[in-house]
Amino acid sequence: MAAQIWGSEKRARRRREISAKIAQMPELHDSKPLPFMTREEKIMESARKLTILTEKMGQIIDPTDPAELYHLNNEVLGLEGNPMALHGVMFIPALSAQASDEQQAKWLPRALRREIIGTYAQTELGHGTNLQNLETTATYDLATQEFVLHTPQITALKWWPGNLGKSSNYAVVVAHMIIKAKNYGPHPFMVQLRDEKTHEPLPGITIGDIGPKMAYNIVDNGFLGFNKYRIPRTNLLMRHTKVEADGTYIKPPHAKINYSAMVHVRAYMLTGQAIMLASALNIATRYSSVRRQGQIDKSQPEVKVLEYQTQQHRLFPSIARAYAFQFAGAETVKLYEHVLKEMKSGNVSLMADLHALTSGLKSVVTYQTGEGIEQARMACGGHGYSMASYISEIYGVAIGGCTYEGENMVMLLQLARYLVKSAALVKSGQSSKLGPLVAYLGVKSEPTSLIDRIPNSGFTEYVKTFQHVSKRQTLKAADMFFGLMEKGEKREIAWNKCSVELNRASRLHTRLFIVEAFVRRVNEIADIRIKEALTDLLHLHVNYELLDIASYALEDGFLSASQLDYIRDQVYLYLGKIRPNAVSLLDSWEFSDIELRSVLGRRDGNVYENLFKWAKSSPLNKTDVLSSVTQYLKPMMEKARL
Ligand SMILES: CCCCCCCCC/C=C/C(=O)SCCNC(=O)CCNC(=O)[C@H](O)C(C)(C)COP(=O)(O)OP(=O)(O)OC[C@H]1O[C@@H](n2cnc3c(N)ncnc32)[C@H](O)[C@@H]1OP(=O)(O)O
Ligand SMILES: Cc1cc2nc3c(=O)[nH]c(=O)nc-3n(C[C@H](O)[C@H](O)[C@H](O)COP(=O)(O)OP(=O)(O)OC[C@H]3O[C@@H](n4cnc5c(N)ncnc54)[C@H](O)[C@@H]3O)c2cc1C
């Protein structure tokens, strides 16, 4: 099963080998539990481990393999981030995709050797979503052949970029490029921020940390201002766009090609979300098989809480989602790598499809991951609320994904643009022009679902039902939009008036894609035992998801009330079938205790001993009487006693 999750036997084996090596290297372990550290201590601890990793990485992993590097980071540095998180996730991908060969030769080897640390600075205090209204300017000075970066007012301060505040000395900065008074829109520039020897900010640069956040606090998300700060013309990233010495602008082959670093993260973050969801579920499911509370049959001893149907219903559909996200994420990364290769050789025809797909997936996956992790926390009762579970940290980090790389609602609306265009093709009889991801919009649907009548249809009848509701909602929202315009409403106003309905279509379309990715994977599996276990999980998935969106299928009678009862029964049937495998389905992800960082969810199951030991090590327990008591509470009580 681990091979299914991680993509191959080899990858699963390498993960195990890497975890085993790390277990033998105490210098790479947290020196004390992260929840007991201040933010400054955590940052120091992370930098300490990061530098050891830089020295010893070659002994532990193949540093050219991104999957191995990712696992190493998760084990050693953990999910709260690290001082070079953005360096790998965005800075290097931005240079790789957007710098010319000559620029790459100059900067990439230095970045890869970690001579310099970089980040991606795009979002500003006043604007994150609407990139067209970013305010930082890069004005070309023809006389010196330099760009002059400037922050015209407080809202133009770069705000949020990870590791910008304290760690990075370089950044890819996005600024509006102005040449001879003409604004060419946002473009990426390579900018040195700090002196390479002293790490002091360079003259003309204001920079710092934006303060603590809900989670991710090892990352120094930062602010950055420029005061007429000059960089050479050749620091504009010039793989796709060029500015010649005389100011001549050569436009890129696709208007949004400079957005590639964002698409990169949107594609790769899906499996990251799956891992966080599976981690929280691993903790909650292990704990639920240790925790005994109450009886189902009063004549019997107390049961493990995992025996309760409500507990299973709370956890198991999310287990199915974690697998589904992992499989859909793997497909998306494959597509992304393909499109990137094509883009590098000038073929941009697949960019729109990839943008639509990743926009929808990042939104649905991050939202449902957040939901699933929060359910996992509640499933642990009181102990879930303790930082000893570590679930609250996983939750805080995971839901950051609802916001970064494009706010979820906004990204769903990007997918909706694509869906509406596709609906227009269907309406004008041009269904043959539909891309493969939306081809179902052009297929005539049956009048009613056959879900309960062809139970051995594989998952075909389920997929058809998802297709039906997605198609119907897409065409309905598009009709609403076109209808408003026909009545004379301006396009943008009509769009806004339909946007809730449009986003519903985007979610349904994305959920269909996730179901199909899960079905595709299960169909590919040869090993019968693995196939059986995953088929059960897939049964739970399709039935649970369909129940969740049933109102769309009931509206037009595609599903009947009795079919809904059938679907519900299937959910309960598969909850029971999955119960014996539940812990294994999560243990198959093979998270080590070091990686999980959860006292509650450790592999040994010694929950109570571990919790007591953990509580005793709390810094508050170093002394029996705290100074807050001697200084304030004791005098207060004494005064009251007089
Ligand atoms: C590893 C895990 C660790 C995880 C570790 C993670 C660390 C966290 C790091 C976080 C980093 C960040 O957040 S970095 C900052 C991220 N910021 C964002 O994501 C900003 C979100 N905003 C945007 O992306 C854009 O502004 C967007 C909303 C798409 C609107 O852009 P525009 O205004 O330029 O464009 P629009 O007018 O809406 O659309 C014009 C057309 O362009 C198309 N278009 C837009 N973007 C496109 C794109 N990327 N590719 C192709 N086409 C695109 C649209 O579909 C439209 O097509 P037609 O319909 O055909 O016209
Ligand atoms: C943990 C974290 C890490 C980050 N890292 C980086 C980084 O490394 N580099 C970087 O540059 N940035 C980074 N960011 C910033 C991030 O990319 C932005 O916060 C994000 O793109 C959302 O933009 P915003 O903050 O402007 O939200 P807003 O756009 O102000 O969103 C506020 C509300 O307005 C709604 N809204 C806005 N526009 C529309 C619209 N057109 N239609 C409908 N509704 C709309 C949204 O849906 C939302 O409900 C990070 C953010 C976080 C939280």
Side-chain angles (χ1 to χ4, degrees), residues 349-380:
S349 61
L350 287 171
M351 273 179 61
D353 292 42
L354 179 68
H355 172 57
L357 178 69
T358 50
S359 297
L361 279 171
K362 80 79 73 180
S363 306
V364 169
V365 166
T366 55
Y367 184 76
Q368 294 189 345
T369 293
E371 271 186 334
I373 297 174
E374 175 59 353
Q375 285 298 328
R377 177 191 72 77
M378 290 189 278
C380 298

PDB file of all heavy atoms in Angstrom, residues 349-380:
ATOM      1  N   SER A 349      -0.107  25.874 -25.276  1.00  0.00           N
ATOM      2  CA  SER A 349      -1.522  25.559 -25.516  1.00  0.00           C
ATOM      3  C   SER A 349      -2.208  24.874 -24.329  1.00  0.00           C
ATOM      4  O   SER A 349      -3.428  24.936 -24.198  1.00  0.00           O
ATOM      5  CB  SER A 349      -1.652  24.676 -26.762  1.00  0.00           C
ATOM      6  OG  SER A 349      -0.946  23.479 -26.514  1.00  0.00           O
ATOM      7  N   LEU A 350      -1.421  24.230 -23.447  1.00  0.00           N
ATOM      8  CA  LEU A 350      -2.063  23.505 -22.344  1.00  0.00           C
ATOM      9  C   LEU A 350      -2.154  24.328 -21.060  1.00  0.00           C
ATOM     10  O   LEU A 350      -2.664  23.849 -20.041  1.00  0.00           O
ATOM     11  CB  LEU A 350      -1.279  22.216 -22.054  1.00  0.00           C
ATOM     12  CG  LEU A 350      -1.430  21.106 -23.087  1.00  0.00           C
ATOM     13  CD1 LEU A 350      -0.444  19.979 -22.813  1.00  0.00           C
ATOM     14  CD2 LEU A 350      -2.859  20.562 -23.092  1.00  0.00           C
ATOM     15  N   MET A 351      -1.640  25.554 -21.106  1.00  0.00           N
ATOM     16  CA  MET A 351      -1.598  26.352 -19.871  1.00  0.00           C
ATOM     17  C   MET A 351      -2.983  26.630 -19.284  1.00  0.00           C
ATOM     18  O   MET A 351      -3.186  26.601 -18.072  1.00  0.00           O
ATOM     19  CB  MET A 351      -0.866  27.677 -20.107  1.00  0.00           C
ATOM     20  CG  MET A 351       0.639  27.567 -19.916  1.00  0.00           C
ATOM     21  SD  MET A 351       1.442  29.136 -20.244  1.00  0.00           S
ATOM     22  CE  MET A 351       0.692  30.196 -19.028  1.00  0.00           C
ATOM     23  N   ALA A 352      -3.943  26.903 -20.153  1.00  0.00           N
ATOM     24  CA  ALA A 352      -5.287  27.239 -19.661  1.00  0.00           C
ATOM     25  C   ALA A 352      -5.915  26.037 -18.952  1.00  0.00           C
ATOM     26  O   ALA A 352      -6.525  26.184 -17.881  1.00  0.00           O
ATOM     27  CB  ALA A 352      -6.169  27.695 -20.819  1.00  0.00           C
ATOM     28  N   ASP A 353      -5.751  24.850 -19.530  1.00  0.00           N
ATOM     29  CA  ASP A 353      -6.306  23.633 -18.909  1.00  0.00           C
ATOM     30  C   ASP A 353      -5.674  23.404 -17.545  1.00  0.00           C
ATOM     31  O   ASP A 353      -6.355  23.101 -16.558  1.00  0.00           O
ATOM     32  CB  ASP A 353      -6.029  22.396 -19.771  1.00  0.00           C
ATOM     33  CG  ASP A 353      -6.788  22.432 -21.072  1.00  0.00           C
ATOM     34  OD1 ASP A 353      -6.833  23.519 -21.678  1.00  0.00           O
ATOM     35  OD2 ASP A 353      -7.333  21.396 -21.483  1.00  0.00           O
ATOM     36  N   LEU A 354      -4.344  23.529 -17.495  1.00  0.00           N
ATOM     37  CA  LEU A 354      -3.634  23.290 -16.245  1.00  0.00           C
ATOM     38  C   LEU A 354      -4.051  24.319 -15.193  1.00  0.00           C
ATOM     39  O   LEU A 354      -4.271  23.987 -14.026  1.00  0.00           O
ATOM     40  CB  LEU A 354      -2.116  23.370 -16.479  1.00  0.00           C
ATOM     41  CG  LEU A 354      -1.252  23.165 -15.243  1.00  0.00           C
ATOM     42  CD1 LEU A 354      -1.361  21.727 -14.743  1.00  0.00           C
ATOM     43  CD2 LEU A 354       0.219  23.495 -15.529  1.00  0.00           C
ATOM     44  N   HIS A 355      -4.176  25.563 -15.614  1.00  0.00           N
ATOM     45  CA  HIS A 355      -4.579  26.628 -14.682  1.00  0.00           C
ATOM     46  C   HIS A 355      -5.972  26.345 -14.116  1.00  0.00           C
ATOM     47  O   HIS A 355      -6.206  26.452 -12.910  1.00  0.00           O
ATOM     48  CB  HIS A 355      -4.550  27.971 -15.411  1.00  0.00           C
ATOM     49  CG  HIS A 355      -5.121  29.101 -14.621  1.00  0.00           C
ATOM     50  ND1 HIS A 355      -4.646  29.452 -13.376  1.00  0.00           N
ATOM     51  CD2 HIS A 355      -6.136  29.978 -14.885  1.00  0.00           C
ATOM     52  CE1 HIS A 355      -5.338  30.482 -12.904  1.00  0.00           C
ATOM     53  NE2 HIS A 355      -6.251  30.815 -13.793  1.00  0.00           N
ATOM     54  N   ALA A 356      -6.892  25.939 -14.987  1.00  0.00           N
ATOM     55  CA  ALA A 356      -8.257  25.651 -14.533  1.00  0.00           C
ATOM     56  C   ALA A 356      -8.254  24.480 -13.548  1.00  0.00           C
ATOM     57  O   ALA A 356      -8.851  24.550 -12.468  1.00  0.00           O
ATOM     58  CB  ALA A 356      -9.139  25.330 -15.741  1.00  0.00           C
ATOM     59  N   LEU A 357      -7.547  23.436 -13.907  1.00  0.00           N
ATOM     60  CA  LEU A 357      -7.530  22.239 -13.058  1.00  0.00           C
ATOM     61  C   LEU A 357      -6.913  22.545 -11.691  1.00  0.00           C
ATOM     62  O   LEU A 357      -7.495  22.220 -10.645  1.00  0.00           O
ATOM     63  CB  LEU A 357      -6.731  21.127 -13.759  1.00  0.00           C
ATOM     64  CG  LEU A 357      -6.584  19.832 -12.961  1.00  0.00           C
ATOM     65  CD1 LEU A 357      -7.922  19.118 -12.855  1.00  0.00           C
ATOM     66  CD2 LEU A 357      -5.553  18.899 -13.605  1.00  0.00           C
ATOM     67  N   THR A 358      -5.740  23.171 -11.691  1.00  0.00           N
ATOM     68  CA  THR A 358      -5.052  23.412 -10.412  1.00  0.00           C
ATOM     69  C   THR A 358      -5.810  24.432  -9.566  1.00  0.00           C
ATOM     70  O   THR A 358      -5.806  24.334  -8.337  1.00  0.00           O
ATOM     71  CB  THR A 358      -3.596  23.895 -10.628  1.00  0.00           C
ATOM     72  OG1 THR A 358      -3.609  24.971 -11.561  1.00  0.00           O
ATOM     73  CG2 THR A 358      -2.708  22.782 -11.131  1.00  0.00           C
ATOM     74  N   SER A 359      -6.484  25.374 -10.205  1.00  0.00           N
ATOM     75  CA  SER A 359      -7.261  26.372  -9.448  1.00  0.00           C
ATOM     76  C   SER A 359      -8.378  25.676  -8.666  1.00  0.00           C
ATOM     77  O   SER A 359      -8.589  25.955  -7.484  1.00  0.00           O
ATOM     78  CB  SER A 359      -7.893  27.406 -10.390  1.00  0.00           C
ATOM     79  OG  SER A 359      -6.892  28.127 -11.052  1.00  0.00           O
ATOM     80  N   GLY A 360      -9.093  24.784  -9.343  1.00  0.00           N
ATOM     81  CA  GLY A 360     -10.190  24.066  -8.685  1.00  0.00           C
ATOM     82  C   GLY A 360      -9.666  23.132  -7.610  1.00  0.00           C
ATOM     83  O   GLY A 360     -10.174  23.096  -6.483  1.00  0.00           O
ATOM     84  N   LEU A 361      -8.612  22.388  -7.948  1.00  0.00           N
ATOM     85  CA  LEU A 361      -8.119  21.383  -7.003  1.00  0.00           C
ATOM     86  C   LEU A 361      -7.560  22.017  -5.740  1.00  0.00           C
ATOM     87  O   LEU A 361      -7.821  21.557  -4.632  1.00  0.00           O
ATOM     88  CB  LEU A 361      -7.037  20.522  -7.675  1.00  0.00           C
ATOM     89  CG  LEU A 361      -7.550  19.403  -8.577  1.00  0.00           C
ATOM     90  CD1 LEU A 361      -6.396  18.772  -9.350  1.00  0.00           C
ATOM     91  CD2 LEU A 361      -8.276  18.329  -7.775  1.00  0.00           C
ATOM     92  N   LYS A 362      -6.782  23.103  -5.897  1.00  0.00           N
ATOM     93  CA  LYS A 362      -6.203  23.682  -4.673  1.00  0.00           C
ATOM     94  C   LYS A 362      -7.325  24.154  -3.752  1.00  0.00           C
ATOM     95  O   LYS A 362      -7.222  24.055  -2.533  1.00  0.00           O
ATOM     96  CB  LYS A 362      -5.139  24.751  -4.966  1.00  0.00           C
ATOM     97  CG  LYS A 362      -5.546  26.157  -5.323  1.00  0.00           C
ATOM     98  CD  LYS A 362      -5.951  27.039  -4.195  1.00  0.00           C
ATOM     99  CE  LYS A 362      -4.867  27.531  -3.293  1.00  0.00           C
ATOM    100  NZ  LYS A 362      -5.488  28.410  -2.227  1.00  0.00           N
ATOM    101  N   SER A 363      -8.419  24.628  -4.330  1.00  0.00           N
ATOM    102  CA  SER A 363      -9.511  25.154  -3.513  1.00  0.00           C
ATOM    103  C   SER A 363     -10.265  24.037  -2.789  1.00  0.00           C
ATOM    104  O   SER A 363     -10.474  24.095  -1.579  1.00  0.00           O
ATOM    105  CB  SER A 363     -10.506  25.932  -4.382  1.00  0.00           C
ATOM    106  OG  SER A 363      -9.829  26.913  -5.119  1.00  0.00           O
ATOM    107  N   VAL A 364     -10.662  23.034  -3.533  1.00  0.00           N
ATOM    108  CA  VAL A 364     -11.461  21.955  -2.928  1.00  0.00           C
ATOM    109  C   VAL A 364     -10.605  21.148  -1.944  1.00  0.00           C
ATOM    110  O   VAL A 364     -11.040  20.831  -0.830  1.00  0.00           O
ATOM    111  CB  VAL A 364     -12.057  21.046  -4.029  1.00  0.00           C
ATOM    112  CG1 VAL A 364     -12.662  19.787  -3.428  1.00  0.00           C
ATOM    113  CG2 VAL A 364     -13.109  21.824  -4.821  1.00  0.00           C
ATOM    114  N   VAL A 365      -9.402  20.836  -2.354  1.00  0.00           N
ATOM    115  CA  VAL A 365      -8.543  19.980  -1.518  1.00  0.00           C
ATOM    116  C   VAL A 365      -8.181  20.681  -0.208  1.00  0.00           C
ATOM    117  O   VAL A 365      -8.257  20.078   0.863  1.00  0.00           O
ATOM    118  CB  VAL A 365      -7.281  19.552  -2.313  1.00  0.00           C
ATOM    119  CG1 VAL A 365      -6.218  18.963  -1.391  1.00  0.00           C
ATOM    120  CG2 VAL A 365      -7.660  18.548  -3.399  1.00  0.00           C
ATOM    121  N   THR A 366      -7.808  21.954  -0.260  1.00  0.00           N
ATOM    122  CA  THR A 366      -7.421  22.631   0.989  1.00  0.00           C
ATOM    123  C   THR A 366      -8.626  22.762   1.917  1.00  0.00           C
ATOM    124  O   THR A 366      -8.510  22.586   3.125  1.00  0.00           O
ATOM    125  CB  THR A 366      -6.827  24.029   0.743  1.00  0.00           C
ATOM    126  OG1 THR A 366      -7.760  24.807  -0.027  1.00  0.00           O
ATOM    127  CG2 THR A 366      -5.507  23.958   0.007  1.00  0.00           C
ATOM    128  N   TYR A 367      -9.784  23.051   1.348  1.00  0.00           N
ATOM    129  CA  TYR A 367     -10.978  23.228   2.185  1.00  0.00           C
ATOM    130  C   TYR A 367     -11.347  21.909   2.865  1.00  0.00           C
ATOM    131  O   TYR A 367     -11.570  21.852   4.079  1.00  0.00           O
ATOM    132  CB  TYR A 367     -12.144  23.754   1.341  1.00  0.00           C
ATOM    133  CG  TYR A 367     -13.360  24.028   2.191  1.00  0.00           C
ATOM    134  CD1 TYR A 367     -13.416  25.161   2.999  1.00  0.00           C
ATOM    135  CD2 TYR A 367     -14.432  23.138   2.223  1.00  0.00           C
ATOM    136  CE1 TYR A 367     -14.505  25.400   3.817  1.00  0.00           C
ATOM    137  CE2 TYR A 367     -15.534  23.378   3.037  1.00  0.00           C
ATOM    138  CZ  TYR A 367     -15.564  24.504   3.826  1.00  0.00           C
ATOM    139  OH  TYR A 367     -16.639  24.750   4.638  1.00  0.00           O
ATOM    140  N   GLN A 368     -11.386  20.854   2.084  1.00  0.00           N
ATOM    141  CA  GLN A 368     -11.780  19.556   2.663  1.00  0.00           C
ATOM    142  C   GLN A 368     -10.704  19.006   3.595  1.00  0.00           C
ATOM    143  O   GLN A 368     -11.019  18.301   4.555  1.00  0.00           O
ATOM    144  CB  GLN A 368     -12.098  18.562   1.545  1.00  0.00           C
ATOM    145  CG  GLN A 368     -13.328  18.985   0.746  1.00  0.00           C
ATOM    146  CD  GLN A 368     -13.806  17.930  -0.232  1.00  0.00           C
ATOM    147  OE1 GLN A 368     -13.088  16.989  -0.536  1.00  0.00           O
ATOM    148  NE2 GLN A 368     -15.003  18.105  -0.752  1.00  0.00           N
ATOM    149  N   THR A 369      -9.464  19.331   3.322  1.00  0.00           N
ATOM    150  CA  THR A 369      -8.392  18.914   4.233  1.00  0.00           C
ATOM    151  C   THR A 369      -8.591  19.589   5.587  1.00  0.00           C
ATOM    152  O   THR A 369      -8.506  18.944   6.640  1.00  0.00           O
ATOM    153  CB  THR A 369      -7.007  19.266   3.635  1.00  0.00           C
ATOM    154  OG1 THR A 369      -6.815  18.459   2.482  1.00  0.00           O
ATOM    155  CG2 THR A 369      -5.882  19.011   4.622  1.00  0.00           C
ATOM    156  N   GLY A 370      -8.885  20.869   5.569  1.00  0.00           N
ATOM    157  CA  GLY A 370      -9.144  21.598   6.819  1.00  0.00           C
ATOM    158  C   GLY A 370     -10.299  20.974   7.586  1.00  0.00           C
ATOM    159  O   GLY A 370     -10.205  20.709   8.788  1.00  0.00           O
ATOM    160  N   GLU A 371     -11.379  20.683   6.856  1.00  0.00           N
ATOM    161  CA  GLU A 371     -12.555  20.032   7.480  1.00  0.00           C
ATOM    162  C   GLU A 371     -12.166  18.708   8.130  1.00  0.00           C
ATOM    163  O   GLU A 371     -12.547  18.420   9.262  1.00  0.00           O
ATOM    164  CB  GLU A 371     -13.586  19.678   6.393  1.00  0.00           C
ATOM    165  CG  GLU A 371     -14.591  20.728   6.064  1.00  0.00           C
ATOM    166  CD  GLU A 371     -15.622  20.145   5.062  1.00  0.00           C
ATOM    167  OE1 GLU A 371     -15.328  19.200   4.303  1.00  0.00           O
ATOM    168  OE2 GLU A 371     -16.729  20.674   5.047  1.00  0.00           O
ATOM    169  N   GLY A 372     -11.413  17.917   7.407  1.00  0.00           N
ATOM    170  CA  GLY A 372     -11.042  16.576   7.874  1.00  0.00           C
ATOM    171  C   GLY A 372     -10.138  16.633   9.094  1.00  0.00           C
ATOM    172  O   GLY A 372     -10.274  15.829  10.017  1.00  0.00           O
ATOM    173  N   ILE A 373      -9.207  17.588   9.091  1.00  0.00           N
ATOM    174  CA  ILE A 373      -8.281  17.693  10.225  1.00  0.00           C
ATOM    175  C   ILE A 373      -9.038  18.153  11.472  1.00  0.00           C
ATOM    176  O   ILE A 373      -8.811  17.672  12.577  1.00  0.00           O
ATOM    177  CB  ILE A 373      -7.111  18.653   9.903  1.00  0.00           C
ATOM    178  CG1 ILE A 373      -6.286  18.102   8.734  1.00  0.00           C
ATOM    179  CG2 ILE A 373      -6.218  18.847  11.131  1.00  0.00           C
ATOM    180  CD1 ILE A 373      -5.192  19.031   8.235  1.00  0.00           C
ATOM    181  N   GLU A 374      -9.956  19.078  11.291  1.00  0.00           N
ATOM    182  CA  GLU A 374     -10.736  19.560  12.439  1.00  0.00           C
ATOM    183  C   GLU A 374     -11.599  18.430  13.011  1.00  0.00           C
ATOM    184  O   GLU A 374     -11.752  18.294  14.227  1.00  0.00           O
ATOM    185  CB  GLU A 374     -11.579  20.770  12.009  1.00  0.00           C
ATOM    186  CG  GLU A 374     -12.546  21.322  13.041  1.00  0.00           C
ATOM    187  CD  GLU A 374     -11.919  21.796  14.352  1.00  0.00           C
ATOM    188  OE1 GLU A 374     -10.722  21.593  14.570  1.00  0.00           O
ATOM    189  OE2 GLU A 374     -12.671  22.348  15.182  1.00  0.00           O
ATOM    190  N   GLN A 375     -12.147  17.598  12.143  1.00  0.00           N
ATOM    191  CA  GLN A 375     -12.899  16.431  12.627  1.00  0.00           C
ATOM    192  C   GLN A 375     -11.970  15.474  13.370  1.00  0.00           C
ATOM    193  O   GLN A 375     -12.350  14.906  14.394  1.00  0.00           O
ATOM    194  CB  GLN A 375     -13.581  15.702  11.461  1.00  0.00           C
ATOM    195  CG  GLN A 375     -14.815  16.417  10.917  1.00  0.00           C
ATOM    196  CD  GLN A 375     -15.920  16.548  11.950  1.00  0.00           C
ATOM    197  OE1 GLN A 375     -16.096  15.699  12.819  1.00  0.00           O
ATOM    198  NE2 GLN A 375     -16.685  17.635  11.882  1.00  0.00           N
ATOM    199  N   ALA A 376     -10.753  15.305  12.861  1.00  0.00           N
ATOM    200  CA  ALA A 376      -9.785  14.429  13.533  1.00  0.00           C
ATOM    201  C   ALA A 376      -9.490  14.960  14.934  1.00  0.00           C
ATOM    202  O   ALA A 376      -9.388  14.201  15.893  1.00  0.00           O
ATOM    203  CB  ALA A 376      -8.496  14.330  12.713  1.00  0.00           C
ATOM    204  N   ARG A 377      -9.355  16.271  15.042  1.00  0.00           N
ATOM    205  CA  ARG A 377      -9.098  16.865  16.360  1.00  0.00           C
ATOM    206  C   ARG A 377     -10.258  16.578  17.315  1.00  0.00           C
ATOM    207  O   ARG A 377     -10.051  16.122  18.439  1.00  0.00           O
ATOM    208  CB  ARG A 377      -8.925  18.392  16.252  1.00  0.00           C
ATOM    209  CG  ARG A 377      -8.722  19.048  17.602  1.00  0.00           C
ATOM    210  CD  ARG A 377      -8.807  20.549  17.545  1.00  0.00           C
ATOM    211  NE  ARG A 377     -10.157  21.069  17.326  1.00  0.00           N
ATOM    212  CZ  ARG A 377     -11.116  21.141  18.252  1.00  0.00           C
ATOM    213  NH1 ARG A 377     -10.899  20.679  19.472  1.00  0.00           N
ATOM    214  NH2 ARG A 377     -12.295  21.645  17.970  1.00  0.00           N
ATOM    215  N   MET A 378     -11.473  16.810  16.858  1.00  0.00           N
ATOM    216  CA  MET A 378     -12.629  16.585  17.734  1.00  0.00           C
ATOM    217  C   MET A 378     -12.784  15.105  18.065  1.00  0.00           C
ATOM    218  O   MET A 378     -13.239  14.756  19.153  1.00  0.00           O
ATOM    219  CB  MET A 378     -13.895  17.147  17.090  1.00  0.00           C
ATOM    220  CG  MET A 378     -13.886  18.670  17.064  1.00  0.00           C
ATOM    221  SD  MET A 378     -15.452  19.395  16.562  1.00  0.00           S
ATOM    222  CE  MET A 378     -15.352  19.300  14.802  1.00  0.00           C
ATOM    223  N   ALA A 379     -12.368  14.270  17.147  1.00  0.00           N
ATOM    224  CA  ALA A 379     -12.462  12.823  17.383  1.00  0.00           C
ATOM    225  C   ALA A 379     -11.547  12.381  18.527  1.00  0.00           C
ATOM    226  O   ALA A 379     -11.709  11.282  19.053  1.00  0.00           O
ATOM    227  CB  ALA A 379     -12.107  12.054  16.112  1.00  0.00           C
ATOM    228  N   CYS A 380     -10.583  13.224  18.888  1.00  0.00           N
ATOM    229  CA  CYS A 380      -9.682  12.897  20.008  1.00  0.00           C
ATOM    230  C   CYS A 380     -10.184  13.494  21.315  1.00  0.00           C
ATOM    231  O   CYS A 380      -9.442  13.489  22.313  1.00  0.00           O
ATOM    232  CB  CYS A 380      -8.270  13.386  19.722  1.00  0.00           C
ATOM    233  SG  CYS A 380      -7.530  12.619  18.289  1.00  0.00           S
TER     234      CYS A 380
END
